[in-house]
Amino acid sequence: MNILIQCGDHLENQNRIMTLASTLRDFGCKPVVLLYSNKKGRYFENAGIETIALEDHLPKIPVAAGTKIESSLEDGITYDDVLQPEQRRRPRVGWPGQRARSINDIHKHHSALTSIIETCKPDHIVVWNGFTGYVANILRLIAQARNIPSAFLERGLLKNSLFIDRDGVNGASSLNGLTPDLVDALSISEQERNKVIELFNIPALQPQQEENTQNILFPLQVQLDTNIIMYSSYRTMRETFFDIYDALDSKTSQFLVRPHPEELPETLPNIPNHDNVRVTKSETLDHWLDWSTLVVTINSTVGLEALIKGKKVISLGNSIYSSAGLTSGLTTDLGLSAPDLRERLIKYLVYLTRSNLLIPDDDNNPAVVSKQINITAKQIAAPERPCNKPIATERAIIEIAAPLNTTLDLTYRRNKVKLDHAWILSIAKQHFSAKTYSIVPYCPNSKHATTTTTLKVVSEERSTKADPRYNRTIDIYGNLVR
């Protein structure tokens, strides 16, 4: 079975996608990871997983003259079908003055993805979110129009974890239909119970204490994120705050509004300056979760984090947890005791890890993939991969052959991070276990290369070859260059 998986170029995305791709590989499937840049790919190919780059398939022929927004891209898909969800996130692309450019961009992406699908011939397409960007929108529409089975991905709650669902993500996922009765009726083993308690760091029940104040945390969400646009009745954080304040303000209420780190400065909401309202980016989210007695969110995963910490949560939109009987409303109370709520939360998290959450090296991954991608074949033994254990040595010499202006694409928010010594040291330790490390510029005539404990760090260009004079050659993300 050929499976095309959309993946961003950010290191975080690739780490999350690797768990899915390697699980599919071990099922005997052929995963092909769709990246944007042809510079990327070494991380997956080192693991025996094929990649394909969007930029290698972009057409050189512009869109035909006279093409309109109502024109057809292919049977069942118009340019407007692609533009409509995107302009809800980025209104600019729908402006009359931008229309010609948007039509051309849609044409380029559709042509490239059609070429990629003809090359890969996927039996299944796995899309990131389904509504974030032209690539995701077009892949979702192509899968629907051509009757290609599909699944959808989003960042999981745990580090490097990946959420996958056949119906969609966030409020569109199958979990949005999970009822309290279904959760309560779930039978779980003691081993599963202990596993999720450890995985999610669920604290033991604490004695209930009378609070003199009601500390209310309202973590803002990105207003043009699909979570708000598609799965919420609210359109701005300002109007949401007014409803929260009207419903919960009292003599003992203190409100803390925390801006989202990905919100653009020009779209930050104007929150009223009441005496009991504070807006701040100071401290960590964990600090304010600990401070709070109540967390109010539309549908952010912060709500789930708060539940795990034992906090009362009010949710105002559709999400992967809002229908499971874990949260209250502004005018309705869940009415569960703390022990009953904790028990329901544990069962919900067991269900999540059984059916939708891929976690690196987790035993449940084959069952999750089998359910969401409908693979019935028995899992085969994983092929043996070269073992690259760190080399033990007294001293490791690291020579940097990457350009001085090199930047790292780590996450959506950190995509232009300068390459520095701290990062070099962190990736070097994946390959050398040394008592001391020396980082020096690369010199073609260096005598260091004649020693037995040397590491060369090169750019991420896939055309770069390993230097046989060094014990190991790695790229700027720590991938071994062979």
Side-chain angles (χ1 to χ4, degrees):
M1 178 184 286
N2 297 336
I3 301 176
L4 182 65
I5 308 170
Q6 181 193 358
C7 176
D9 287 350
H10 314 307
L11 181 63
E12 179 197 32
N13 286 54
Q14 294 187 49
N15 281 334
R16 293 180 189 273
I17 293 293
M18 176 60 86
T19 302
L20 170 61
S22 59
T23 303
L24 288 168
R25 177 202 64 199
D26 297 346
F27 262 112
C29 299
K30 181 185 177 184
V32 180
V33 176
L34 170 59
L35 301 165
Y36 290 87
S37 170
N38 57 22
K39 293 180 180 179
K40 309 289 182 177
R42 182 177 284 124
Y43 177 49
F44 292 103
E45 290 170 5
N46 280 355
I49 295 165
E50 187 177 323
T51 64
I52 195 165
L54 183 78
E55 71 174 348
D56 289 339
H57 291 262
L58 290 171
K60 297 179 180 178
I61 301 173
V63 64
T67 300
K68 299 180 179 179
I69 200 66
E70 301 84 10
S71 300
S72 176
L73 275 166
E74 62 174 79
D75 287 345
I77 306 176
T78 67
Y79 283 82
D80 197 42
D81 292 331
V82 179
L83 183 65
Q84 284 299 324
E86 186 60 18
Q87 73 175 3
R88 294 172 73 180
R89 294 177 57 248
R90 296 189 294 145
R92 182 184 180 89
V93 300
W95 293 356
Q98 292 288 319
R99 188 63 58 86
R101 180 175 180 175
S102 297
I103 288 172
N104 189 59
D105 286 344
I106 292 169
H107 159 74
K108 288 195 305 182
H109 285 89
H110 179 265
S111 298
L113 291 169
T114 295
S115 172
I116 285 169
I117 288 171
E118 288 173 355
T119 301
C120 299
K121 296 179 172 53
D123 302 294
H124 207 105
I125 296 176
V126 185
V127 186
W128 191 274
N129 186 285
F131 292 94
T132 51
Y134 288 140
V135 173
N137 282 320
I138 293 169
L139 280 176
R140 171 179 53 82
L141 291 167
I142 284 177
Q144 292 172 357
R146 302 186 191 181
N147 293 315
I148 303 174
S150 58
F152 300 88
L153 305 173
E154 191 53 89
R155 285 181 289 187
L157 184 62
L158 300 172
K159 183 180 179 181
N160 288 336
S161 66
L162 185 68
F163 179 85
I164 180 170
D165 194 275
R166 294 166 70 175
D167 294 346
V169 299
N170 304 322
S173 75
S174 62
L175 289 179
N176 191 44
L178 192 61
T179 66
D181 288 344
L182 288 172
V183 177
D184 291 342
L186 189 67
S187 177
I188 65 174
S189 67
E190 195 63 24
Q191 182 180 6
E192 287 177 311
R193 177 187 301 278
N194 294 334
K195 177 181 175 180
V196 299
I197 288 173
E198 182 179 355
L199 260 180
F200 294 93
N201 196 24
I202 302 174
L205 277 173
Q206 301 297 319
Q208 295 295 306
Q209 296 179 347
E210 286 292 328
E211 300 288 348
N212 295 325
T213 60
Q214 175 86 311
N215 292 338
I216 303 167
L217 172 63
F218 176 39
L220 302 184
Q221 295 178 238
V222 177
Q223 296 181 127
L224 295 179
D225 188 76
T226 54
N227 250 345
I228 302 303
I229 293 171
M230 305 189 66
Y231 313 120
S232 163
S233 60
Y234 292 99
R235 287 296 169 264
T236 70
M237 295 298 104
R238 180 177 167 84
E239 67 169 310
T240 311
F241 176 79
F242 280 129
D243 277 2
I244 294 169
Y245 192 82
D246 289 347
L248 301 176
D249 182 37
S250 71
K251 292 181 179 179
T252 61
S253 298
Q254 294 292 324
F255 294 83
L256 191 290
V257 179
R258 182 173 172 80
H260 193 283
E262 292 179 10
E263 185 63 89
L264 298 173
E266 60 267 27
T267 54
L268 280 172
N270 181 18
I271 300 297
N273 188 26
H274 298 309
D275 289 341
N276 61 343
V277 176
R278 182 183 176 193
V279 181
T280 181
K281 292 182 179 179
S282 70
E283 306 296 346
T284 64
L285 177 60
D286 269 350
H287 170 86
W288 294 116
L289 285 173
D290 291 338
W291 166 87
S292 68
T293 54
L294 172 65
V295 175
V296 187
T297 180
I298 297 177
N299 47 19
S300 168
T301 53
V302 173
L304 190 51
E305 292 179 56
L307 286 166
I308 289 169
K309 281 181 171 285
K311 303 297 180 176
K312 180 180 178 180
V313 175
I314 290 175
S315 62
L316 307 175
N318 295 327
S319 68
I320 64 171
Y321 60 88
S322 55
S323 69
L326 299 168
T327 62
S328 299
L330 281 177
T331 58
T332 58
D333 190 78
L334 184 61
L336 273 187
S337 67
D340 287 344
L341 178 57
R342 185 175 186 271
E343 178 64 16
R344 183 177 287 174
L345 174 66
I346 288 171
K347 287 189 173 184
Y348 166 83
L349 292 173
V350 168
Y351 186 95
L352 179 68
T353 56
R354 281 181 184 177
S355 67
N356 293 90
L357 197 62
L358 292 169
I359 304 167
D361 303 316
D362 191 75
D363 292 339
N364 280 342
N365 290 341
V368 172
V369 169
S370 180
K371 178 177 181 179
Q372 301 302 338
I373 300 189
N374 198 24
I375 298 173
T376 55
K378 290 183 178 179
Q379 188 181 16
I380 64 172
E384 286 191 17
R385 303 289 164 193
C387 181
N388 297 311
K389 290 182 178 179
I391 299 171
T393 181
E394 287 289 319
R395 182 187 180 208
I397 299 174
I398 307 157
E399 294 195 16
I400 306 175
L404 294 177
N405 61 349
T406 296
T407 58
L408 299 164
D409 186 0
L410 301 181
T411 70
Y412 176 76
R413 295 189 299 271
R414 301 172 62 210
N415 56 11
K416 291 192 182 342
V417 177
K418 291 292 184 182
L419 184 71
D420 61 16
H421 279 206
W423 177 261
I424 292 292
L425 188 60
S426 71
I427 60 174
K429 287 181 177 179
Q430 300 171 22
H431 298 272
F432 283 152
S433 176
K435 290 183 178 179
T436 61
Y437 296 86
S438 299
I439 302 175
V440 298
Y442 168 70
C443 176
N445 300 318
S446 169
K447 295 180 180 179
H448 294 143
T450 62
T451 68
T452 58
T453 53
T454 52
L455 182 69
K456 184 178 181 181
V457 181
V458 298
S459 71
E460 64 178 315
E461 297 287 346
R462 290 167 64 188
S463 58
T464 305
K465 303 297 182 185
D467 191 328
R469 298 176 302 156
Y470 294 79
N471 292 98
R472 288 183 185 174
T473 304
I474 62 172
D475 67 21
I476 57 174
Y477 293 100
N479 298 308
L480 193 67
V481 178
R482 297 193 173 101

